[in-house]
Amino acid sequence: MLTKKQIHEVLETIKEMYPEAECELHHSNAFELLIAVVLSAQCTDALVNKVTPGLFKKYKEPQDYLEVSQEELEQDIRSIGLYRNKAKNIKKLSASLLEQFEGEVPRSREELMSLAGVGRKTANVVASVAFKTPAIAVDTHVERVSKRLGICRWKDNVREVEETLMKKVPKEEWADTHHRLIFFGRYHCRARDPQCASCPLLHLCREGQKRMKRGEIQHA
């Protein structure tokens, strides 16, 4: 496990690598962001961004999703994985927004998590990005990078990873750190082809050093 000083070095290095890191899901308001994040479950942001321009042109508010059949909505998001289940959840959460929140996206994580298809990660993303609430959403990239670097333990579950990051990262840095860790995991410390040989954090990363030693990574 890294020390507090080492974690600070990690965060500063990733900040230098990705100073402009931000949410890559295209949206223009909190409702569009909510729909986009629900669609992104087990799916790439890039694929979601191909679907949402047409989707958001057709469906501008919760009521619009309720005025079409389940089958029509499924067809509109068919290219996205788990589209049937996601269509069902979008219709349910749209109904909940109208019935319980006057058609507005709620700001609190607890209220967001009451919506269909919205788990803790999705709620954290929406609260953080749309409403600037301090939060660290743990997706596959954040979890992988945190464990590889030794910020968290390999055996930690997603909630434990989130809680560890919240303890070790200054609160005012939570949102930016979330985006930077995603960028680092998506473009550098990738699942199948991590760029260990050229990584500025290799001297701190036991996982990277092991991979280099085993010859899994080609030297730069």
Side-chain angles (χ1 to χ4, degrees):
M1 297 283 285
L2 297 184
T3 64
K4 191 173 182 180
K5 185 179 177 182
Q6 289 172 324
I7 290 172
H8 177 73
E9 182 181 345
V10 165
L11 297 180
E12 284 300 307
T13 301
I14 293 176
K15 179 179 179 179
E16 289 172 12
M17 292 175 74
Y18 302 106
E20 304 298 324
E22 61 182 0
C23 179
E24 292 193 301
L25 289 169
H26 299 163
H27 65 282
S28 59
N29 55 55
F31 181 56
E32 288 186 357
L33 175 63
L34 175 61
I35 298 299
V37 181
V38 168
L39 290 174
S40 74
Q42 297 180 47
C43 178
T44 66
D45 289 359
L47 181 55
V48 173
N49 287 337
K50 288 180 181 177
V51 171
T52 49
L55 194 72
F56 294 159
K57 193 173 181 182
K58 180 175 179 179
Y59 305 96
K60 299 187 184 301
E61 53 190 42
Q63 184 64 41
D64 296 335
Y65 287 102
L66 299 180
E67 290 177 352
V68 300
S69 66
Q70 169 88 12
E71 292 71 25
E72 184 174 345
L73 180 54
E74 285 178 6
Q75 289 303 311
D76 289 336
I77 62 171
R78 191 180 180 89
S79 60
I80 289 176
L82 307 174
Y83 68 92
R84 286 195 178 91
N85 198 41
K86 289 175 182 178
K88 193 184 300 180
N89 284 334
I90 287 171
K91 288 180 76 70
K92 278 186 186 175
L93 74 81
S94 295
S96 296
L97 290 177
L98 290 168
E99 292 163 10
Q100 300 171 35
F101 302 105
E102 299 180 342
E104 298 295 323
V105 176
R107 289 173 171 261
S108 80
R109 180 170 61 197
E110 290 68 29
E111 288 176 321
L112 284 163
M113 287 176 66
S114 72
L115 302 171
V118 179
R120 190 176 180 88
K121 184 204 83 173
T122 296
N124 276 337
V125 172
V126 175
S128 173
V129 175
F131 304 120
K132 309 305 178 191
T133 303
I136 295 182
V138 178
D139 71 351
T140 181
H141 300 297
V142 174
E143 181 180 10
R144 180 177 67 256
V145 167
S146 299
K147 290 180 176 180
R148 279 181 174 173
L149 284 168
I151 298 172
C152 303
R153 300 171 301 178
W154 279 107
K155 65 179 181 179
D156 287 349
N157 60 35
V158 171
R159 183 66 180 271
E160 288 169 333
V161 170
E162 180 186 337
E163 289 172 354
T164 298
L165 288 170
M166 287 168 69
K167 285 178 193 168
K168 295 184 177 182
V169 177
K171 191 171 184 177
E172 64 273 15
E173 292 282 326
W174 285 359
D176 287 338
T177 296
H178 155 73
H179 294 306
R180 289 167 190 156
L181 288 174
I182 287 177
F183 271 51
F184 185 73
R186 185 176 285 160
Y187 301 115
H188 186 83
C189 189
R190 298 188 292 258
R192 293 184 182 174
D193 182 28
Q195 305 298 295
C196 300
S198 61
C199 185
L201 295 173
L202 182 60
H203 64 291
L204 294 175
C205 182
R206 283 172 57 185
E207 172 69 14
Q209 290 166 16
K210 283 180 190 172
R211 286 171 178 266
M212 295 290 287
K213 199 170 183 180
R214 293 196 300 258
E216 293 179 19
I217 308 292
Q218 295 298 313
H219 288 264

